[in-house]
Amino acid sequence: MACPASLEVTRIPFLSRLRQTRPWPWWMAAGSALLFVLALPPFRLWPLAFVAFGLLLWTITRAERMTTATLLGWLAGTLFYYGSSWWATHSLIVYGNIPTPVAHGLIIIAAGLVALPTAVFAWGVHLTTRHGTGLGWWCVPAWWCVSEWLRGELFAFGWNPLANAVATEPWLARTAMLGGHYLVGTLVAAFATGVIYALQPRQPFRRAVGALAVGMSAILVPAVVALGFVSRPVETTRLTVIAVQPCAPLMATEAAAYRQAERRQMQLALEGLRQAPPEAPRLVVFPESQIALEADRPGADDQLRPLLEQGAHVLTNATRRVRGGFANAALLYAPDGRVVEYQKTHLMPFGEYIPFHRYVPVTLPTLAMEAVPGTQVSALPMTNDLRLGVSICFESTFPGLHRQLRQQGATLLVNLANDGWFGDTPGSEQHLRHLVYRAIETGCPVVRVTNDGVSALLDSGGQVWDSMPHNQPDVRIWQVSPTLPSTPYVVIGDAVPFVCLAVAVAITLWTLWTRVRFYTEAITDLVAGE
């Protein structure tokens, strides 16, 4: 005789406890995800990032069981990553002909995977704060930093970290020069933690005031310290950049459309050269696009001759056959015939490769074309005192890559991208915010050149000085300011997440040890009493 469904659920302790959980924590977790989304483009309500983190922290710490807290963290992370990256479905639907429900389902699955570090954050916070100890509470920012570091390094998806919400607030964003964007996110988490700790029920007044003071200090002290590192620029050769935004088609059915885009791109470049002052070195930059140079084709660089003959350097996206596949590359051509190359080392998941595709028994619907990652990171020499640190598209989310380029002497960071795959969505603006931190972290100006926007010039403090309209062919002439001296982040790298990892491991071991000792003593007393 079959058992009723309700009886079957009661036989599984986990599901039974889950059914008994009140619904308000789940709504609060979903609400925190919504606030996180509103803090980012296109809404840009950055103060909500503090509220969102505080709401999530309150929800986790009020959960009765660790399993519930962990699931709440995972739910909030999944909804946030889907809510802020839903636009990735555009290319799947429009260019991949994937049904809309399937496309959104794929993004939800991906969001659930990259939300696992957020679940780790919730687990760690609940473990170390459930008994109300102040020490455990002040480890909350460390747990958050560890979760973002795991997402960016282990899952290779550092898109939209907490720091991106405040990227347009220089007083806070500039602290990235001390410890990278991980430090900025940790400071936001520390302030919100101070507020939530102060609001705990039956909290003594003096302790609440102290928590608020510590939270405020966590924000203000690093911001003041960062001011001391804003020094005068180093005198280097100025550079004139001719940035070309060609708006090449993505998947045209006729080759004539690509030839027209190539002519338009060259016309824009020549127009920019005519307007550029001849005194300083001139660099023409072409973006990542469907009209990228085919580096293996004989005479492929002939189309660049009109630019090179005028004494300009040309940086262009290119493809090259390597090791049984193709490389997404950037080639720098000099007027004297020299050519140096960088091949993309961090590939775009589901865009240039399928993660774990060898272990998946079915073929996933995707646009991915299997690319081969580059094996070497190197700044491209342009002149004796000008070196370009080039990244391609998604690589803008990897601070370690840009730090390495800066250590190799890069005086200008250049990002070649093609965000046209995401249509008229917030994807391109979100992308630009990552480069705000790459500029601040390295003390290096950034030139971002895209196929159809948003192309922009950022100074070494992360401020956007100029940008091109979206979906409009254009050319801009930018005089690049000299770079700043090396920042503390270039020297210490990602020391902040490693310190936070050590703190999280230490507090976890201490918490587990105290519990083991407590239960051991209780059992000993019980046995002795018998």
Side-chain angles (χ1 to χ4, degrees), residues 8 32 121 128 135 173 200 210 223 246 252 280 422 452 463 490 504 507 524:
E8 289 293 335
S32 70
F121 159 76
T128 54
L135 179 62
Q200 290 300 298
F422 308 126
D452 63 351
Q463 296 296 298
V490 174
I507 191 65
T524 301

Side-chain angles (χ1 to χ4, degrees), residues 239-242 272-282 477-479:
L239 175 65
T240 299
V241 175
I242 296 93
L273 273 180
R274 283 193 295 269
Q275 299 177 14
E279 296 82 13
R282 295 173 297 173
I477 303 169
W478 292 327
Q479 299 295 322

Side-chain angles (χ1 to χ4, degrees), residues 409-477:
T411 53
L412 173 66
L413 300 179
V414 182
N415 179 251
L416 310 180
N418 185 5
D419 291 340
W421 295 104
F422 308 126
D424 295 323
T425 71
S428 188
E429 186 179 354
Q430 292 179 7
H431 197 169
L432 180 61
R433 292 203 172 194
H434 290 274
L435 291 167
V436 170
Y437 283 107
R438 304 299 86 83
I440 297 173
E441 290 162 350
T442 60
C444 213
V446 175
V447 167
R448 181 175 193 251
V449 182
T450 69
N451 178 41
D452 63 351
V454 177
S455 302
L457 170 67
L458 295 83
D459 66 14
S460 51
Q463 296 296 298
V464 177
W465 283 96
D466 189 27
S467 62
M468 301 188 204
H470 198 63
N471 289 330
Q472 179 177 322
D474 201 354
V475 60
R476 294 292 171 89
I477 303 169

Side-chain angles (χ1 to χ4, degrees), residues 217-291:
S217 299
I219 288 286
L220 297 179
V221 172
V224 173
V225 172
L227 279 176
F229 289 92
V230 179
S231 55
R232 297 180 62 184
V234 175
E235 293 298 330
T236 59
T237 303
R238 295 182 64 85
L239 175 65
T240 299
V241 175
I242 296 93
V244 180
Q245 181 173 290
C247 291
L250 297 178
M251 296 184 69
T253 56
E254 298 182 1
Y258 292 117
R259 290 194 295 269
Q260 182 180 3
E262 289 175 349
R263 290 193 296 270
R264 180 169 60 245
Q265 179 173 262
M266 181 57 64
Q267 290 171 357
L268 290 170
L270 290 171
E271 178 184 346
L273 273 180
R274 283 193 295 269
Q275 299 177 14
E279 296 82 13
R282 295 173 297 173
L283 173 67
V284 177
V285 183
F286 293 140
E288 181 187 40
S289 71
Q290 297 300 96
I291 56 174

Side-chain angles (χ1 to χ4, degrees), residues 271-510:
E271 178 184 346
L273 273 180
R274 283 193 295 269
Q275 299 177 14
E279 296 82 13
R282 295 173 297 173
L283 173 67
V284 177
V285 183
F286 293 140
E288 181 187 40
S289 71
Q290 297 300 96
I291 56 174
L293 207 67
E294 297 178 22
D296 296 311
R297 181 169 56 85
D301 57 347
D302 289 346
Q303 58 185 295
L304 305 179
R305 292 300 171 194
L307 306 175
L308 299 173
E309 290 173 354
Q310 297 189 43
H313 290 72
V314 179
L315 178 65
T316 182
N317 181 224
T319 58
R320 184 186 296 280
R321 297 186 184 90
V322 291
R323 304 191 301 278
F326 79 94
N328 190 352
L331 272 60
L332 177 61
Y333 289 86
D336 61 5
R338 291 181 296 110
V339 182
V340 288
E341 179 176 347
Y342 166 74
Q343 295 180 0
K344 189 176 183 179
T345 56
H346 296 82
L347 303 181
M348 177 68 179
F350 299 102
E352 293 171 314
Y353 78 102
I354 303 295
F356 310 111
H357 70 282
R358 295 180 180 178
Y359 309 101
V360 178
V362 297
T363 302
L364 295 176
T366 177
L367 292 176
M369 299 175 61
E370 287 295 327
V372 178
T375 58
Q376 184 178 0
V377 175
S378 58
L380 305 182
M382 181 175 165
T383 64
N384 291 336
D385 54 358
L386 288 175
R387 299 177 69 88
L388 307 181
V390 180
S391 62
I392 301 176
C393 198
F394 177 67
E395 291 186 312
S396 62
T397 65
F398 293 89
L401 168 66
H402 296 79
R403 172 178 175 251
Q404 189 174 352
L405 292 169
R406 187 72 169 92
Q407 288 177 323
Q408 295 179 2
T411 53
L412 173 66
L413 300 179
V414 182
N415 179 251
L416 310 180
N418 185 5
D419 291 340
W421 295 104
F422 308 126
D424 295 323
T425 71
S428 188
E429 186 179 354
Q430 292 179 7
H431 197 169
L432 180 61
R433 292 203 172 194
H434 290 274
L435 291 167
V436 170
Y437 283 107
R438 304 299 86 83
I440 297 173
E441 290 162 350
T442 60
C444 213
V446 175
V447 167
R448 181 175 193 251
V449 182
T450 69
N451 178 41
D452 63 351
V454 177
S455 302
L457 170 67
L458 295 83
D459 66 14
S460 51
Q463 296 296 298
V464 177
W465 283 96
D466 189 27
S467 62
M468 301 188 204
H470 198 63
N471 289 330
Q472 179 177 322
D474 201 354
V475 60
R476 294 292 171 89
I477 303 169
W478 292 327
Q479 299 295 322
V480 178
S481 302
T483 185
L484 287 175
S486 183
T487 63
Y489 174 77
V490 174
V491 177
I492 67 173
D494 289 331
V496 171
F498 285 115
V499 171
C500 289
L501 179 61
V503 169
V505 171
I507 191 65
T508 300
L509 293 177
W510 172 257

